[in-house]
Amino acid sequence: MLSSSTPMAPLAAAPSILPRHVARWLRNPVAWVPYALVLAGAAIMLVPFYFMFVFATHTNTEIMSVPPPLWFGDAFFDNLKTLLAERPHFWRSLLLSLWIAGAATALNLFFCSLGGYGFAMYEFPGKQTLFGGLMATMLLPAFVGMIPFVLLMKELDWLNTTRALIVPGACSAFGVFLMRQYIGSAVPRELVEAARMDGCSEFGIYWRVVLPLIGPAMGTLGLVTFIGAYNNFVGALLVMSDVDMFTAPLVLRSLQGTGQTPWGAISAGSAITVLPLLVLFIFYSRRLIEGLTAGALKG
C-alpha cells in the first residue's frame, strides 16, 4: 500500500475541445475586434434588405404601425395584386430592365476590354495624353452632362427607346482603366509577341490569347456594370416619358403619388426586382472568387 506522503504524478493537461482559432480568440479578446466590425457592417447593409422583404408581406396598416413588423406576414400576394392593378405593365418593365442591363453589360465588356488591351499593350503617339483625358472624365459630376445627354438623345430621335440607355453606356472610363491595369499585370507581353510572330491577327490575339486570361476582371466589371445599368433611375427618368417604356425603378417610383402610398405593393415590387441581382451575385461571385484563386495559383 502506497504511503500518503508519496508524491503524485502531475495530471496530464486535458485536451482542448475548442477549435484552435476559437481558443486563440478566447486568449486574446482583441482578435475579435476586426470580426465584430465586419459583422456590424454586414448587419447595417443587410437590415434594409431584410425589412424590404418583411414589408412585402404586410399591409400598409401593419407597416405604419409602431413598432413595425419584424417578421414575415401573409399579405405578399395581396400586395402583388395591388401592384399589378396599379401598374399592369410591371412584368414588361422588369424584362425591359433586364434587357437593357444585359445589352449594356455585353457592350461595355467588349469595348472596355478592347480599349484596355490597346492602352496596355500598344505604343502610339499621344497615348498618355489620351489616357489622361479619358481618366479626367471620371472627375466630372454626373449632373453636368444631363442636359447635353437629353438634347443629344432628342437630336438622334432616341427618346423613349432602349438605345438611349444602352449605347451611351457601351464603354466607360472606369472599365477601360480597370482592364488596362489588369491586362498590364496579368498578360505577359512575351505571350502577345509570340502570338504575333506565329501569324495571329491583332484581333485574333485579343480574342484567343488575351480574353481567356482576363476572366476575373471581366467578371468584376460585368457584375458592376449590370447592377449599375439595372438600377439606372436618373438616366431612365431623363429619356423615358412613355409609361410603356418605363423601367422597373421608374414603375416603382411612380407608385408614390399624392394619395396614400401603397408601401406594401412597392416593397413587393422591390423584392421581385432585386431577386435577379441577388441570384446573379450569389452564383457569380463564387465563380469570380474561384477565378481569382486560380489566377493566383497559376501566377
Side-chain angles (χ1 to χ4, degrees):
M1 185 173 180
L2 295 176
S3 172
S4 59
S5 61
T6 304
M8 297 179 63
L11 295 176
S16 176
I17 61 175
L18 296 175
R20 183 177 302 175
H21 62 280
V22 175
R24 185 178 67 251
W25 288 341
L26 292 177
R27 290 194 302 267
N28 183 17
V30 179
W32 285 89
V33 174
Y35 296 91
L37 293 176
V38 171
L39 288 175
I44 292 174
M45 290 186 292
L46 292 177
V47 163
F49 287 96
Y50 174 76
F51 276 104
M52 177 185 66
F53 285 105
V54 169
F55 289 168
T57 62
H58 287 275
T59 63
N60 263 20
T61 304
E62 295 171 339
I63 293 174
M64 302 304 294
S65 63
V66 179
L70 302 178
W71 191 244
F72 299 94
D74 55 0
F76 175 77
F77 291 103
D78 293 335
N79 290 331
L80 182 59
K81 185 184 297 184
T82 302
L83 172 64
L84 295 179
E86 295 287 337
R87 299 294 182 268
H89 53 280
F90 171 74
W91 295 118
R92 183 181 185 277
S93 299
L94 183 61
L95 292 177
L96 190 66
S97 293
L98 290 171
W99 157 247
I100 291 172
T105 301
L107 290 176
N108 199 45
L109 288 176
F110 178 69
F111 288 113
C112 287
S113 59
L114 271 180
Y117 170 61
F119 279 115
M121 292 296 173
Y122 287 89
E123 297 296 334
F124 51 88
K127 171 183 172 179
Q128 298 301 328
T129 303
L130 182 60
F131 185 74
L134 181 66
M135 292 298 99
T137 61
M138 298 176 63
L139 303 177
L140 297 176
F143 65 85
V144 172
M146 287 183 180
I147 295 178
F149 170 69
V150 175
L151 294 178
L152 180 60
M153 294 300 105
K154 184 178 180 181
E155 287 296 322
L156 295 174
D157 197 21
W158 283 7
L159 295 179
N160 288 307
T161 65
T162 56
R163 295 189 298 272
L165 298 178
I166 295 174
V167 176
C171 188
S172 63
F174 169 76
V176 174
F177 171 76
L178 177 65
M179 287 299 169
R180 174 187 178 270
Q181 297 301 109
Y182 191 87
I183 292 174
S185 61
V187 180
R189 288 182 176 270
E190 294 79 8
L191 189 61
V192 175
E193 293 296 334
R196 188 174 290 122
M197 292 178 63
D198 287 339
C200 191
S201 65
E202 296 301 320
F203 185 79
I205 295 174
Y206 157 78
W207 189 260
R208 299 178 182 178
V209 178
V210 176
L211 205 58
L213 297 177
I214 60 175
M218 294 281 282
T220 302
L221 180 60
L223 197 61
V224 172
T225 304
F226 187 91
I227 294 175
Y230 186 76
N231 292 327
N232 186 5
F233 174 77
V234 175
L237 184 64
L238 291 174
V239 298
M240 299 297 186
S241 57
D242 188 355
V243 176
D244 291 334
M245 295 302 296
F246 275 11
T247 58
L250 289 183
V251 169
L252 296 177
R253 177 61 182 85
S254 66
L255 287 172
Q256 301 181 30
T258 56
Q260 184 179 8
T261 301
W263 293 111
I266 293 176
S267 298
S270 301
I272 295 173
T273 302
V274 82
L275 279 179
L277 297 181
L278 292 178
V279 172
L280 179 68
F281 182 78
I282 290 173
F283 285 96
Y284 196 77
S285 61
R286 180 177 179 182
R287 294 179 57 189
L288 178 62
I289 294 173
E290 290 176 354
L292 289 170
T293 305
L297 293 176
K298 292 178 182 177

